[in-house]
Structure formats: structure tokens, C-alpha cells
Amino acid sequence: MNIIVCLKQVPDTETQIKIAPDGKSIVEDDIKWIMNPYDEFGVEEALRIKEKFGGEVTVVGLGPKRVTEAIRTALAMGADKGILITDDALEGSDSLATAKALTAAIKDLDYDIIFTGQRGIDDDLGLVGASVAEFLGIPHIALGIKVEIADDQSSVKVHRPVEGQTLVIESPLPVLITAQKGLNEPRYASLPGIMKAKKKPLEEKSLADLGVDASEFGEAARKLKIIELTPPPERKAGKIIEGETPQEKAAELAKLLHEEAKVL
Amino acid sequence: MDFTLSMEQEILRKSVRDFAENEIRPVAKELDEREEFSYETMQKMAELGLFGMVVSETYGGQGMDYLSYIIATEEIARVDGSHAATVAAGNSLGIGPIYYYGNEEQKQKYLPKLCSGEALWGFGLTEPNAGSDAGNSKTTAILDGDEWVVNGSKIFITNASTEISAGVTALCRTGTRDDGRPELSCIIVEAGTPGYEARPMHGKMMWRASNTSELYFEDCRVPKENLLGERGHGFHQMLETLDKGRLSIGAMGLGGAQGCFEMALRYARERVQFGKPIAHFQVNSFKLADMAMEIECARLLLYKACWLCDNDKPFGKEAAMAKLYCSEVMYRCANHAVQLHGGYGLMKEYDVERFYRDQKLLEIGEGTSEVQRIVISRYIGAI
């Protein structure tokens, strides 16, 4: 089983996001970058499949040089090799362009399964996984919370949550699966793993290396334009329900939910 | 100058931080309350590779540099002092002497199990009547034929009486030097040797989830080969071990201070009094600003000491300064953090209460603050 995992680097969930003066982007100076948590589920699942069936796990990241850290983290977790697609012309690319670049890097590799996170926790668009599958012409199964490989390794069953139920989808290989929370508990990069990762191959590729036309990427080629970013409204102070007894408090709460919050 | 950490060090910090948040934070309070050493978290820390961090891969270690070890210890201490103590004592004091002074056979015999975390090891220096005056150890080891006969006792020995404690490196009087002063040597005593007993100590104010022991040697016989390094070099070996150990105590102060600062900042931004978050009152924001500044200074000093150590330059003075400064910074940060929490800071429900207690050890263990000032005074030529 050869598996590819696509990685995105996103701001740490604890980072305080500030909007840049242009009103369309965020200030990146003080941001701590991490591997997109949904991609981390993909890395973990890939490693588990490799441990069971053998094969190789390749991680593919895209973005500036700092993305190397996310790729090295995946290598420290146990992935075998990494590819970083990095090119100044990629700056400002939208999801579709990102998917095109990833596809160009993946198409000639030997793979049975591709994992991507179901979405990046920064833009929350969830487009890249499906787009890559489309460009590669392979099946796409979204929001996997369980992945079962057939014993003969020719097909896969993926569990996907749907409105409190579970949909089980079967697909031949190769397939692209997007990882959802609940798929697994990703391992920590161990200290020996971190040391081993130093020696694992990590290749950098420019758009020219991938044989694609740079004009299809970057800000100018965006199909999706960001008009404006606004911070979420500040959270208002909570309300403490007064009352002598639990019954009184419950009645007051129900009244407020009905009349003020209008949710009942 | 380049203050950038390597990518491996950044990944290490993130990984150990996530580990500490997910595996240690949820149980730290209860283990402290019950004064219990957890074999479960010990095993998880071992699996992560937190033992034998600076030991070469030949003996099962991770082959990392000292700064990496210090970053890992700092991240554990940011969440819990007891667990950081198990790690710091395990690496610096348990593994250290065997790795640096042991012969090939001793290293092969003990290091793999200590580096995998299957076993822990004690550093037997302090005695009931020899604390800061450690050179005045009374425990004796008399060579009788092919065996050392050890008699005496040790106290406050970390990691020496758990179920997985495999032994201790004990500083013993092995004779008298030509100048009439005692000849001190390090002797390896394995757990289970007749006449050797290690008892856990209870009733601690701090590091309640780490293992602290009293050791008794009563006509305890160990083979002659259990001498560590050269005869008569024991005290020097112990002091050198403490030089490196000081870096890890510094890491515990730094990490603990960072933990206090983060808890205080979060609380001060959330806690509303007089209609606004208490962080908005200058009297409080200045406390937080001072904490942030001192933590930054502490980190620079400690990392510089590690850099010197990693680059084979003398680092004794900086290690003593870092140990002293980081513990005192944590003292002030813990104090401010409890103050900012007000009445809640006095309750066990809030972690700052535990940090406030845990801090105190750092000014006492592995050389008191007073001893650090003596060490520094000597380095600068004042005495």
C-alpha cells in the first residue's frame, strides 16, 4: 500500500488572528504554524495502514519554506518521504490552483490511497481534496471516520457520518479520502522519530519542475476573490439565571430561550 | 547572533507540549492530591523518548543536544513539576553519571534499560547530615576482598524507590587521602542487593507525584567492579553531574514560570471586577508585563548556558546563574499568578496552587540558591 498525504500548514488554533491593513488578509508575523489537524488524521491513518500492510507514506505540502516544518513533523511521526511544492508564483493561489499543483506533483507517483484533511481550519473551504480527486480522475470519499482496507487490498470501505447515521461507502483503489475528526488519535512525534526524520528525503519542487504554467497560479489566477475580512463579533457577557429553586430557574431559562434568544 | 531554534527543536517543543497537555495535565492534579507516582504516565513519557535524551544511540538514547533536552523538560514543567522532576532526575542524575563515568561494560549493562524508561536510577549524594556540605558524606564503602561493603544512608533521592528503580549511584567514603581528607568514590548499588533498602518518602509539600526516597545500606556487599570511574574521583563526578543537572532544574523553573504566566494571563483577561477584566488594571497588567520580561531573560540565560555546554565551552558559571535565576523567576511568577487569581488561587481546583508549592523545591534542590551564589561568587573571583 503506497499512500500519499497532502498537508497544509495553518495558524495554531491558539493564535490570536489579526486582520492586516489591506482588510483582505491576516497579519502573519506572530503566527505559530502547525500542521492542519485534519491532515494530521490523514497522516496517522496512512501510518496505521502502512504498519498493517507495508508500503510507503509520502507527504506532499505546498506553500512557503516554513511548510517544511509540517512535512518534517509528519516524517517524525513515521512517514517515509516528503515533497514541498514551493514557488513564489503560488503566493495567493486559491483552492483550485492549489489542487492543480498538488495533482501535478502526485500524478506520476505510485499510490493506492490519497488522504487529505476534510478542510483546512484556516479558510474552511474544503475544496482541495475533492478537486485533486477530480483532476486525477479517481473516486473521492469525503469525511472518513473509519477506513477498512479489504484483505486482498483491492478496495476500501469508508465510514462517513450522516445526520447521526453512518454511511458506508465502498470504492476500488486508488481512491482519495478526506479525513474527519474521529478517524483516529494522531500519535506524537517521538524523540527518536524526530531524529530519524532529519535523514529522510524531502524534495522541493517549483512549478517549473512540475511542468505546469505559472500563470495558472497565484493571486491573478484566482477564481475565488476575497473581498473583505471582518473579525467575529465580540462575545457578549453571559447571563446568570436567578431563582430560588431549580424549578424556578428552569422555568426562567425556558422563558428566556423562548422570548429573548428565540431558539425554542 | 542567531536565536533561531532548529526545526527539530521546534517540532520537539510542539510534540512535548501537546503530549504534556493531553497526557499529563488531565491527571496531574489528582496524582498530586494522592501523592502518587504514576507508572502509566511514566510509561507514556518513556515511549515518547523522554529518557536518555542526550545519550548516544549506541546505548539506546536519542542522541539529541542539551538544548533539546532542556526544551523538552521545560515543556513538561510548564504543565507539571512532578513529571518534569521524574524526567530531569532520570536524565541528568540517574543516567548522567553512568553515561559520563561508567566503563563500557557498565554502560552496556545499565543504559539501554534506563534510556527506554523501563528502569529508573537514583543519584545518592545527599545524606541526613550532608546537604549543602555534600563532601562531608558519612556513608562508607570498604573494600573487602572482591567486594565493597557499603554502610550508611542517603535521603531525598529522586526516582530511587519506585517499582522500576533498578539501583543507585552512591557517593561513599572509600578511604582516606594522603592529606588526611576522606577519599570519596561513586559505587553502583543495584536494587535487590541484600542490605540495601530504598523507602519512598511521604508528606511532601511539592513534587508530590514524583518519587523521593530514603536509602539504607547495612553491610551491603557489591562487586569490586561496581566502582564508577576512578577511585577517589566520586565527589568531582557528582559536582560535574550537578553542573549539568542545574540546566534541567533551570528548565523546570523556566517551564513552571511559563505555565504560571499563561494561567495568570488567561485568568486576568477573563476575570471581571469593577466592570472590566482585571488585566486592564495597571497594577495587574504590570505584574504580567514583569512576568513576561523575566521569563524572556530566564530563557535567554538558560539557553545560552545550554549553547555553551553543547559547544564544549565552560558553562559552570552560567549553569549556576540559570538555575538560580530561573528558580527565582518562577518564585515571583507563581506568587503573582496566585495573587492574580485572588481567593481562587488558594484553592486546589486551580493549578496555580500546585505550581506555588512545587516552585519551592527549585530554590533548595540540586544546590540551594545560597550555594548557587557561592558558586557564582567563586567564578567571578569575589571569594
Side-chain angles (χ1 to χ4, degrees):
Chain A
M1 282 273 144
N2 289 323
I3 305 162
I4 290 170
V5 187
C6 300
L7 286 191
K8 183 176 194 180
Q9 204 182 31
V10 296
D12 190 342
T13 44
E14 307 235 324
T15 307
Q16 279 197 305
I17 301 291
K18 286 182 212 136
I19 294 169
D22 71 359
K24 295 177 188 178
S25 58
I26 58 169
V27 180
E28 296 193 351
D29 301 350
D30 296 328
I31 288 181
K32 185 112 190 75
W33 299 92
I34 58 165
M35 190 194 306
N36 178 38
Y38 292 106
D39 300 344
E40 214 172 332
F41 298 133
V43 173
E44 177 62 33
E45 200 61 22
L47 294 175
R48 289 184 191 190
I49 294 170
K50 177 188 122 169
E51 280 157 7
K52 198 166 167 193
F53 297 99
E56 213 171 49
V57 175
T58 305
V59 289
V60 185
L62 177 147
K65 292 266 169 138
R66 59 170 161 75
V67 178
T68 311
E69 188 176 320
I71 298 175
R72 283 273 177 225
T73 303
L75 296 177
M77 289 168 76
D80 300 286
K81 51 188 186 185
I83 298 171
L84 171 65
I85 309 168
T86 188
D87 197 311
D88 290 346
L90 281 165
E91 178 77 30
S93 292
D94 63 7
S95 311
L96 214 57
T98 301
K100 269 187 208 166
L102 287 171
T103 305
I106 292 169
K107 66 176 180 5
D108 296 326
L109 301 178
D110 180 22
Y111 59 86
D112 301 293
I113 301 177
I114 300 171
F115 282 105
T116 73
Q118 55 110 335
R119 63 191 160 94
I121 61 160
D122 49 358
D123 296 334
D124 265 347
L125 290 170
L127 293 171
V128 169
S131 309
V132 169
E134 179 66 21
F135 290 141
L136 288 170
I138 62 171
H140 157 241
I141 307 177
L143 299 162
I145 52 163
K146 188 174 177 187
V147 174
E148 298 170 298
I149 314 279
D151 290 339
D152 66 359
Q153 300 181 38
S154 68
S155 66
V156 62
K157 276 186 190 160
V158 178
H159 293 231
R160 169 185 177 169
V162 184
E163 298 285 334
Q165 305 289 318
T166 304
L167 196 62
V168 182
I169 305 164
E170 191 170 2
S171 163
L173 301 179
V175 63
L176 185 144
I177 301 165
T178 71
Q180 167 67 317
K181 189 175 162 69
L183 180 59
N184 52 46
E185 276 292 327
R187 68 196 64 189
Y188 304 102
S190 72
L191 277 67
I194 292 170
M195 295 304 277
K196 278 190 204 122
K198 279 169 98 166
K199 294 173 204 132
K200 290 181 180 174
L202 200 167
E203 223 181 326
E204 281 185 20
K205 295 207 166 170
S206 67
L207 291 174
D209 293 335
L210 297 175
V212 291
D213 178 3
S215 69
E216 290 178 44
F217 300 88
E219 193 68 48
R222 283 187 81 96
K223 301 237 186 301
L224 199 90
K225 307 252 188 231
I226 294 172
I227 311 293
E228 192 189 359
L229 289 180
T230 50
E234 261 193 48
R235 206 169 72 178
K236 293 195 192 107
K239 192 168 215 159
I240 295 169
I241 308 278
E242 305 286 347
E244 292 290 319
T245 62
Q247 284 84 351
E248 270 181 39
K249 287 184 189 174
E252 179 66 16
L253 174 64
K255 183 168 157 254
L256 289 173
L257 287 174
H258 180 62
E259 291 172 5
E260 252 181 53
K262 299 193 194 317
V263 292
L264 285 183
Chain B
M1 285 173 103
D2 186 358
F3 292 98
T4 323
L5 296 179
S6 73
M7 189 177 293
E8 284 72 32
Q9 286 160 342
E10 294 287 1
I11 295 172
L12 169 78
R13 184 191 292 284
K14 167 96 177 51
S15 191
V16 178
R17 179 171 292 203
D18 288 349
F19 171 85
E21 287 291 348
N22 299 333
E23 312 297 333
I24 298 177
R25 173 117 38 216
V27 295
K29 193 182 314 216
E30 203 185 323
L31 291 172
D32 171 78
E33 183 73 27
R34 294 209 305 255
E35 203 174 17
E36 181 186 316
F37 176 92
S38 164
Y39 292 94
E40 195 182 332
T41 49
M42 169 67 205
Q43 197 190 338
K44 287 180 182 172
M45 292 196 294
E47 281 166 13
L48 189 65
L50 291 176
F51 293 86
M53 282 187 254
V54 300
V55 172
S56 129
E57 287 157 40
T58 322
Y59 303 108
Q62 327 304 352
M64 289 187 154
D65 57 11
Y66 237 83
L67 182 53
S68 299
Y69 160 41
I70 282 330
I71 289 170
T73 308
E74 175 192 341
E75 287 302 328
I76 300 286
R78 179 180 158 274
V79 169
D80 185 49
S82 293
H83 284 84
T86 304
V87 168
N91 282 278
S92 291
L93 306 183
I95 292 170
I98 298 175
Y99 184 50
Y100 293 111
Y101 309 111
N103 58 35
E104 193 53 35
E105 207 182 324
Q106 290 164 337
K107 290 200 257 191
Q108 297 278 6
K109 183 173 182 192
Y110 299 113
L111 290 177
K113 276 195 172 167
L114 297 176
C115 293
S116 70
E118 283 166 75
L120 286 167
W121 197 266
F123 177 76
L125 175 62
T126 302
E127 295 187 1
N129 293 314
S132 293
D133 187 12
N136 195 28
S137 293
K138 295 283 189 283
T139 299
T140 54
I142 309 297
L143 198 55
D144 177 25
D146 285 343
E147 290 177 326
W148 295 101
V149 185
V150 187
N151 277 289
S153 66
K154 299 282 175 186
I155 195 165
F156 306 131
I157 312 302
T158 306
N159 288 347
S161 59
T162 66
E163 287 167 16
I164 56 169
S165 297
V168 64
T169 306
L171 184 70
C172 304
R173 287 184 182 215
T174 45
T176 308
R177 301 196 319 194
D178 294 343
D179 61 5
R181 293 167 67 187
E183 176 197 81
L184 296 165
S185 310
C186 287
I187 305 289
I188 291 172
V189 180
E190 290 183 16
T193 308
Y196 170 56
E197 194 192 348
R199 281 187 212 153
M201 295 173 76
H202 291 296
K204 284 188 290 177
M205 178 176 88
M206 36 26 74
W207 286 10
R208 288 168 55 84
S210 88
N211 173 264
T212 309
S213 328
E214 276 181 290
L215 314 180
Y216 300 93
F217 307 91
E218 212 183 316
D219 289 330
C220 173
R221 288 178 169 267
V222 299
K224 191 174 150 195
E225 294 73 39
N226 281 21
L227 174 70
L228 187 75
E230 275 183 64
R231 185 168 173 169
H233 285 218
F235 192 55
H236 180 71
Q237 292 167 353
M238 289 265 161
L239 291 185
E240 263 191 9
T241 301
L242 287 177
D243 272 350
K244 287 205 165 86
R246 276 172 196 146
L247 298 173
S248 61
I249 296 284
M252 296 187 61
L254 174 61
Q258 179 73 36
C260 288
F261 167 70
E262 288 175 26
M263 285 186 277
L265 180 63
R266 194 180 318 123
Y267 186 82
R269 276 151 84 160
E270 282 168 7
R271 171 74 170 171
V272 173
Q273 290 287 277
F274 305 104
K276 54 181 174 179
I278 62 168
H280 290 198
F281 296 105
Q282 206 172 56
V283 70
N284 293 329
S285 67
F286 280 15
K287 282 192 185 79
L288 292 160
D290 285 346
M291 289 161 88
M293 173 184 70
E294 293 199 11
I295 289 168
E296 189 71 24
C297 293
R299 185 168 285 120
L300 288 173
L301 179 56
L302 178 62
Y303 288 9
K304 183 188 170 187
C306 293
W307 180 86
L308 291 169
C309 174
D310 282 328
N311 287 281
D312 295 324
K313 295 175 194 295
F315 66 97
K317 179 179 73 175
E318 287 76 7
M321 287 177 167
K323 192 265 181 191
L324 173 60
Y325 189 68
C326 291
S327 358
E328 294 193 346
V329 166
M330 185 180 174
Y331 163 71
R332 289 190 286 274
C333 286
N335 192 33
H336 284 330
V338 170
Q339 191 69 23
L340 283 162
H341 278 71
Y344 296 104
L346 304 173
M347 305 302 291
K348 284 197 187 296
E349 189 187 340
Y350 285 81
D351 282 348
V352 281
E353 181 268 349
R354 188 175 80 250
F355 278 65
Y356 188 82
R357 286 184 283 112
D358 280 346
Q359 179 281 324
K360 191 61 207 170
L361 183 129
L362 305 180
E363 294 175 296
I364 295 175
E366 288 195 44
T368 61
S369 292
E370 292 75 11
V371 164
Q372 304 308 323
R373 286 189 164 86
I374 294 173
V375 171
I376 297 165
S377 298
R378 284 184 185 143
Y379 272 112
I380 61 175
I383 51 172

